Amino acid sequence: MSEVTMLFTPRTPRVVAARRLQRRRDREATGRFLAEGPQAVREALAAPGVVTELFGTPTALDRYAELAALADGGGVPVSAVTDDALAALAETLAPQGLVAVCRHLDVPLAQALDGGPRLVAVLAEIRDPGNAGTVLRTADAAGAGAVVFAGDAVDPYNGKCVRASAGSLFHVDVVRADDPIEVVAALRAAGLAVLATTGYGDEDLDDLADAGRLAAPTAWLFGSEAHGLPPALTEAADARVRVPLHGRAESLNLAAAAAVCLYSSAKAQRRPGSGRANVTTGETSRP
């Protein structure tokens, strides 16, 4: 049998089964999703027990031989596929030759809060997967311990969301919760201040930072770019915060506003005396 005929094709049952994971109902039914590209695959393989199969073209498996070896060494099946099969599995116009089948990662909110996160991002009814993935990536970069997809939010395992997260999906606790109001109550009970972002907020972000109010453990509520936060959720927060606009722009988009808020908290929590553990020594700063 030639090398070409040994490759999986778009009609190979395992490829067909994996391709179905592009649909949300199949992801929910199986508890599996697809991670595309070497960066996502690398981060997925670094999370023990997450990857269940790795597909790659011969060229990609040769180029990223260390990833194929890491998968194989961890008991993950590595399946060589034709270019057509890889194109069927991928959702980008120029795929990079690797697609991993992964187990869902989400944890219950109570479990995520048991870890004592000092920074949490809540994506309340955000529908756009690109925005959601970008905020998840930003939250990871800012040091958040958990990202909560609340209410009628996008599926965190949507392919576009996974790609936009650039691997951060595998770094933080991902939580899915049906009721955003219950999420707020749980966050507050865990000792986090809950701040709602809104362009019409009565609190200015810079004023909060100057007053030292961002040094405390904090959860940020972010709403959809089109509709913002639901009024009931905004009112349930401890404060309604606006990002100051010093120029003539009407507003910031969701990802930019989230980055400003999360990094403002990250900066405040890392100041001496904030109580944040020193990342170098592991010692806790005291006032």
Side-chain angles (χ1 to χ4, degrees):
M1 186 179 294
S2 70
E3 182 180 351
V4 173
T5 57
M6 291 174 63
L7 300 178
F8 285 2
T9 74
R11 295 185 179 183
T12 302
R14 278 157 63 182
V15 174
V16 172
R19 188 180 184 186
R20 292 195 185 106
L21 299 177
Q22 294 171 354
R23 300 187 298 232
R24 182 168 188 166
R25 66 175 179 270
D26 288 283
R27 294 194 295 270
E28 295 293 343
T30 62
R32 302 287 190 271
F33 69 100
L34 299 178
E36 178 184 339
Q39 173 64 18
V41 168
R42 182 176 292 107
E43 300 305 324
L45 287 171
V50 167
V51 179
T52 63
E53 184 162 13
L54 176 62
F55 295 99
T57 63
T59 299
L61 291 175
D62 182 61
R63 178 180 301 162
Y64 304 107
E66 78 284 1
L67 297 181
L70 185 61
D72 186 62
V76 175
V78 178
S79 303
V81 299
T82 64
D83 288 343
D84 286 346
L86 196 286
L89 291 170
E91 296 182 83
T92 55
L93 294 177
Q96 296 177 275
L98 295 179
V99 174
V101 178
C102 304
R103 292 186 174 91
H104 280 187
L105 301 155
D106 43 302
V107 300
L109 179 59
Q111 181 179 327
L113 295 178
D114 280 346
R118 290 179 57 86
L119 185 59
V120 173
V122 180
L123 311 186
E125 302 188 1
I126 292 177
R127 309 284 181 82
D128 183 270
N131 269 338
T134 300
V135 175
L136 196 161
R137 180 181 183 180
T138 302
D140 176 26
V147 176
V148 183
F149 289 71
D152 189 17
V154 66
D155 177 12
Y157 306 113
N158 173 289
K160 187 173 183 181
C161 185
V162 175
R163 292 192 300 277
S165 80
S168 288
L169 178 68
F170 304 100
H171 299 163
V172 300
D173 283 340
V174 174
V175 176
R176 290 191 284 178
D178 292 331
D179 188 338
I181 299 296
E182 290 183 1
V183 169
V184 169
L187 292 166
R188 189 177 288 119
L192 287 91
V194 181
L195 305 180
T197 56
T198 169
Y200 304 99
D202 48 8
E203 301 269 14
D204 182 284
L205 178 66
D206 287 349
D207 291 342
L208 289 182
D210 290 344
R213 291 171 59 188
L214 297 183
T218 298
W220 284 98
L221 306 181
F222 303 110
S224 74
E225 194 159 306
H227 306 293
L229 288 167
L233 190 57
T234 304
E235 290 305 314
D238 295 314
R240 287 141 293 282
V241 183
R242 67 184 184 276
V243 176
L245 301 174
H246 303 298
R248 297 174 61 188
E250 179 186 8
S251 62
L252 292 174
N253 66 23
L254 169 63
V260 172
C261 294
L262 290 166
Y263 268 92
S264 293
S265 285
K267 180 179 180 181
Q269 292 180 359
R270 282 163 174 76
R271 286 190 180 123
S274 68
R276 180 78 179 203
N278 183 292
V279 296
T280 302
T281 66
E283 297 174 354
T284 301
S285 300
R286 292 183 170 83

